[in-house]
Amino acid sequence: GESVGLHLPTLSVQEGDNSIINCAYSNSASDYFIWYKQESGKGPQFIIDIRSNMDKRQGQRVTVLLNKTVKHLSLQIAATQPGDSAVYFCAESLHGGYNKLIFGAGTRLAVHP
Amino acid sequence: SAVISQKPSRDICQRGTSLTIQCQVDSQVTMMFWYRQQPGQSLTLIATANQGSEATYESGFVIDKFPISRPNLTFSTLTVSNMSPEDSSIYLCSVAGDLTEAFFGQGTRLTVV
């Protein structure tokens, strides 16, 4: 069967380390951003979101940073676990969360024990 | 959060035939979208499904190839018409609404032979 993220860049980390996944978004007018996690054979799963009036937001073990000056988004995962292995996508939107999303290319995170 | 059911979860189809994919949500939602994820790639928006009217298609996607219906606020269908091997992808339904981020179904994995 096909593999999600087969041709995507890969970030390899050791279990317990912190991971940082980066994303450059395209539209300076975008005002809402989401990080998704996609495991093989599944649909994208919401991780965390951030609006353009913020530059940082924290969740459980995850932090999203937004730099509007350079149109850059990052996802930090603390104490990475094997269950974090997946493909991670950033997405941007205009007019809040209930509009169409434009997805970034994606990064595959491989966590090694 | 909304629970999204897609049917079928996967299918293998002959070229030249058509497949209709169903998306059922467990609650009324404002917005419904259809995305395509080609093997090893990110997600690309096909169209926004509008309740009671014609869908809004993104550049590169046309109604004759991807007819969409949305008869109510909880259900939508996407048809992939006159299929070719290039249509082999994961097709994903997504929903969003006021006070809720965009959720995705598990996707329909289509292989055209």
Side-chain angles (χ1 to χ4, degrees):
Chain A
E2 65 191 61
S3 174
V4 172
L6 188 63
H7 306 296
L8 299 176
T10 298
L11 173 65
S12 295
V13 300
Q14 292 293 319
E15 181 178 358
D17 287 351
N18 297 332
S19 302
I20 300 176
I21 301 172
N22 297 303
C23 174
Y25 63 92
S26 60
N27 191 340
S28 57
S30 293
D31 60 6
Y32 181 64
F33 306 88
I34 308 177
W35 278 100
Y36 286 95
K37 172 186 180 183
Q38 188 176 28
E39 296 172 289
S40 186
K42 297 184 178 180
Q45 176 188 359
F46 173 89
I47 301 174
I48 191 168
D49 60 0
I50 189 168
R51 298 194 181 275
S52 59
N53 60 353
M54 304 172 67
D55 54 20
K56 180 180 180 179
R57 191 167 187 219
Q58 290 184 292
Q60 186 177 11
R61 277 201 312 119
V62 296
T63 300
V64 56
L65 299 177
L66 174 62
N67 185 332
K68 294 181 290 293
T69 302
V70 295
K71 294 191 291 184
H72 184 267
L73 199 64
S74 69
L75 177 69
Q76 301 177 1
I77 304 174
T80 313
Q81 303 168 1
D84 295 326
S85 294
V87 176
Y88 290 80
F89 294 100
C90 68
E92 61 184 296
S93 176
L94 292 169
H95 312 306
Y98 42 96
N99 203 347
K100 59 185 182 182
L101 298 173
I102 300 171
F103 279 79
T107 298
R108 188 168 72 91
L109 177 65
V111 182
H112 303 285
Chain B
S1 64
V3 176
I4 305 167
S5 300
Q6 268 188 248
K7 292 181 180 179
S9 59
R10 61 176 64 241
D11 207 343
I12 300 173
C13 300
Q14 296 291 322
R15 68 180 67 198
T17 63
S18 298
L19 176 72
T20 295
I21 302 167
Q22 299 181 358
C23 178
Q24 178 73 56
V25 192
D26 68 343
S27 59
Q28 293 185 346
V29 291
T30 307
M31 308 296 291
M32 294 183 78
F33 306 94
W34 288 97
Y35 288 82
R36 180 175 74 182
Q37 186 174 26
Q38 295 176 298
Q41 303 291 321
S42 185
L43 285 77
T44 301
L45 180 66
I46 297 172
T48 302
N50 300 309
Q51 192 236 337
S53 64
E54 189 172 292
T56 304
Y57 289 84
E58 297 299 306
S59 176
F61 297 96
V62 296
I63 188 171
D64 289 347
K65 177 66 176 178
F66 298 102
I68 288 170
S69 78
R70 190 178 175 192
N72 56 53
L73 293 176
T74 64
F75 185 79
S76 178
T77 67
L78 168 73
T79 299
V80 186
S81 302
N82 188 24
M83 288 183 286
S84 67
E86 292 71 33
D87 294 320
S88 297
S89 292
I90 303 173
Y91 292 87
L92 294 140
C93 171
S94 173
V95 303
D98 296 353
L99 305 180
T100 183
E101 63 274 3
F103 289 96
F104 284 82
Q106 293 295 296
T108 296
R109 284 144 188 82
L110 171 63
T111 302
V112 184
V113 298

